[in-house]
Amino acid sequence: MNEQRPEMDADMEVVDWVGGEGAEMDEEFRNADTVEVGIDSDEDVRPQESDGDADLEPNDDGEIGVIDEKAVYSDEELQPLHDDAGAHVQHQDSVLAVAFSPADRRLFATGGQDDMAALWMLEEESSGMRLAQRCRLEGHTDSVIQVEFSHDGAYVATGSYDGTVRIWSAMDGSLVHSLDGPSKEVEWITWHPKGHAILAGSNDTMAWMWWAPTGKLMQIFAGHAQSVTCGCWGLGGKLIVTGSEDQGVIVWNPRAGTPQQHLRQVHESAVTAICAHSEAPIVVTGGEDSVAKVVQIETGKVLASLVGHSDSVEHVGFNSPPVGGVSLLATGSMDGKVLVWDGKTFERRCELRDHVERGGIVHLKWLKEAQYSSWLCTCSTDHTLRLFNALTAQCLRTLSGHSDTVLDLDVALAPASAAAQQQPGAQVGHQLYVVSGSDDNSCRVFSVALWTAGAAAPASSVAPAAPGSGGAVGGMVASGAEASPV
């Protein structure tokens, strides 16, 4: 198809993205001209073709052809045997998104299918963990599908199926800006890794970029033929890469808004997941075709096809190794497997099968701290979360408590609380906090004393690769531990 772009005035200028980082980027965006695109009517965006499902009846959650397990099993059968969570809070519908603040691990956000988001404070007391609602983030008119804090923790963004992105102050929950533009659902959002630009992908076939502090629309990225299902910042924020239901991947120049590479039919079906290497010009995509692809974004070449899954690849992610550490890539699939790959050679190192025949992988997250850079946490349709050491292929913890699919998770590491260190046999160490959201309408917070989970593997240790496993190169209420509103 011919790529189309919205018309822009000839005298409009775009922020220079080359070299701007951190405070310099903030200053540049405040003082420089930016592209501000006006959307006057629905005629300014391309119509979306029907997906052919109009004649099928959706279930209560709006899903086509899916049988709700609540219609098959009794409430008693769906309840977990025990609850490992230290505290939990309830939305009025599924909790779709959770995120910790990078500036304060006690602060986290939730977003739900009840059109609501909220900020919560995690408090450690002698009697245990307590969650206090800091403020509600109200105003969306459809499901809040993602929440994410900016790199410095100053802002929290919420993306919604109502077609808007809202920017809130993380300090007091006040609304900073409502970012409009997309004519259909917002599918995902992601902040620039070093600045306050925010990117969103929409079901309207386009990606949108705004400057959050002013609310200005900076750029529209038009080139996909179907919904933009995933996206990331490449090369530390210098490029943008998007994936789509149209099976393609586009590498964009953020300044010009034009494609630098357009890879058509990278997958045999929709692109479902994407991640970027923190330093190298590489992204990894996952597809409904059960394959992950390694793409060199400067040349547009597919470097490797990572095979081994038997169902849709739902999440992909690189770890953050220290200098001299082992670079790892994880791919999680609806087949229940997490495959761990060498982040340089893309040979398969190990296979984590603890969810297999129990449920599929929905999301995974690496621990960022150098000492635990080989550890990752997963959430699954089997109602559990699991903590793994990817170097030893060992499941260190299974976190139970949810009674339905766990849809999202985030992790934060902090020094162990005074109460935890006073327990018999306790050692001075780190406490891992895992926050999760589920179809059971709850958000749960788990705490793991890492000195009880197993020794952290040395950062440079190497686990043997699996034989013959190489990739082919080329109103909310609180219950349980009580959460009181602030």
Side-chain angles (χ1 to χ4, degrees):
M1 64 170 284
N2 293 327
E3 294 167 5
Q4 303 177 17
R5 293 190 40 74
E7 294 183 3
M8 297 185 182
D9 293 339
D11 60 350
M12 285 186 177
E13 297 179 7
V14 187
V15 169
D16 185 359
W17 281 74
V18 179
E21 297 183 357
E24 295 180 2
M25 177 180 291
D26 277 3
E27 187 66 25
E28 182 178 2
F29 274 100
R30 278 194 288 266
N31 297 329
D33 292 333
T34 57
V35 170
E36 184 171 6
V37 183
I39 304 297
D40 297 324
S41 71
D42 290 342
E43 296 178 357
D44 291 338
V45 295
R46 277 184 288 157
Q48 174 74 13
E49 293 181 1
S50 169
D51 59 7
D53 288 337
D55 297 331
L56 298 178
E57 289 294 327
N59 64 9
D60 291 340
D61 293 328
E63 299 170 316
I64 303 296
V66 177
I67 298 176
D68 190 343
E69 62 180 3
K70 294 176 183 177
V72 179
Y73 300 103
S74 68
D75 290 342
E76 290 75 16
E77 290 175 306
L78 290 173
Q79 291 304 312
L81 295 177
H82 61 278
D83 191 349
D84 298 315
H88 70 279
V89 293
Q90 295 288 131
H91 277 245
Q92 293 182 350
D93 209 328
S94 298
V95 180
L96 305 177
V98 295
F100 275 115
S101 167
D104 184 354
R105 65 92 185 152
R106 298 171 302 165
L107 178 64
F108 67 93
T110 59
Q113 200 164 309
D114 54 6
D115 310 346
M116 190 71 65
L119 291 175
W120 305 87
M121 286 298 292
L122 187 159
E123 300 173 356
E124 290 278 5
E125 300 178 343
S126 57
S127 57
M129 194 184 301
R130 176 176 175 271
L131 302 179
Q133 186 184 121
R134 190 165 179 176
C135 52
R136 293 191 187 192
L137 309 178
E138 299 178 297
H140 284 296
T141 59
D142 207 336
S143 299
V144 179
I145 50 89
Q146 193 170 352
V147 293
E148 187 171 330
F149 287 88
S150 58
H151 74 286
D152 56 3
Y155 302 105
V156 60
T158 54
S160 170
Y161 277 168
D162 65 12
T164 69
V165 176
R166 289 179 175 246
I167 307 298
W168 315 81
S169 166
M171 181 176 295
D172 59 13
S174 60
L175 178 64
V176 178
H177 291 290
S178 180
L179 309 178
D180 301 310
S183 62
K184 293 184 179 293
E185 298 91 338
V186 170
E187 298 285 348
W188 53 269
I189 56 175
T190 183
W191 287 95
H192 190 277
K194 300 171 185 174
H196 291 141
I198 189 163
L199 184 68
S202 173
N203 197 32
D204 66 5
T205 76
M206 290 178 278
W208 302 72
M209 182 173 66
W210 298 267
W211 181 239
T214 64
K216 285 186 177 181
L217 176 61
M218 296 169 61
Q219 199 61 267
I220 302 174
F221 303 95
H224 286 293
Q226 292 178 268
S227 176
V228 183
T229 50
C230 54
C232 64
W233 300 87
L235 281 178
K238 294 184 175 120
L239 295 173
I240 289 170
V241 191
T242 56
S244 170
E245 282 185 357
D246 65 11
Q247 308 172 21
V249 172
I250 301 180
V251 182
W252 303 92
N253 180 327
R255 178 182 179 182
T258 54
Q260 290 194 180
Q261 306 288 342
H262 192 160
L263 291 77
R264 293 173 172 82
Q265 296 184 326
V266 175
H267 289 271
E268 295 180 0
S269 52
V271 183
T272 52
I274 195 167
C275 70
H277 193 280
S278 60
E279 297 175 354
I282 287 173
V283 299
V284 175
T285 61
E288 286 184 355
D289 58 4
S290 76
V291 177
K293 298 290 183 82
V294 182
V295 179
Q296 217 285 6
I297 57 178
E298 291 179 327
T299 64
K301 301 294 185 184
V302 175
L303 302 180
S305 294
L306 308 181
V307 297
H309 288 295
S310 58
D311 207 336
S312 174
V313 177
E314 294 295 307
H315 202 89
V316 294
F318 284 101
N319 73 335
S320 302
V323 176
V326 179
S327 177
L328 300 171
L329 167 72
T331 57
S333 167
M334 272 297 154
D335 62 11
K337 292 187 290 187
V338 177
L339 300 183
V340 180
W341 314 81
D342 188 287
K344 294 181 179 178
T345 66
F346 299 104
E347 292 289 320
R348 196 196 308 173
R349 297 175 61 93
C350 66
E351 186 174 308
L352 311 177
R353 298 182 53 87
D354 293 75
H355 290 288
V356 173
E357 296 184 356
R358 297 181 176 92
I361 305 297
V362 179
H363 197 88
L364 62 86
K365 195 93 174 184
W366 290 96
L367 278 62
K368 291 185 178 179
E369 288 69 15
Q371 184 181 3
Y372 297 100
S373 64
S374 67
W375 291 24
L376 72 151
C377 193
T378 59
C379 64
S380 170
T381 62
D382 67 9
H383 311 176
T384 70
L385 301 96
R386 293 177 189 265
L387 178 65
F388 293 94
N389 184 333
L391 285 179
T392 63
Q394 196 176 6
C395 180
L396 305 173
R397 280 287 187 278
T398 299
L399 305 176
S400 301
H402 285 293
S403 59
D404 208 333
T405 294
V406 187
L407 300 169
D408 198 15
L409 75 106
D410 201 3
V411 295
L413 204 62
S417 65
Q421 295 191 36
Q422 289 171 4
Q423 296 297 320
Q427 306 171 24
V428 176
H430 287 90
Q431 199 89 5
L432 174 67
Y433 294 92
V434 182
V435 60
S436 58
S438 168
D439 264 333
D440 65 11
N441 303 353
S442 78
C443 163
R444 279 174 149 72
V445 180
F446 302 87
S447 175
V448 179
L450 292 186
W451 62 86
T452 69
S460 58
S461 65
V462 178
S469 59
V473 175
M476 302 176 190
V477 293
S479 57
E482 191 158 344
S484 59
V486 174

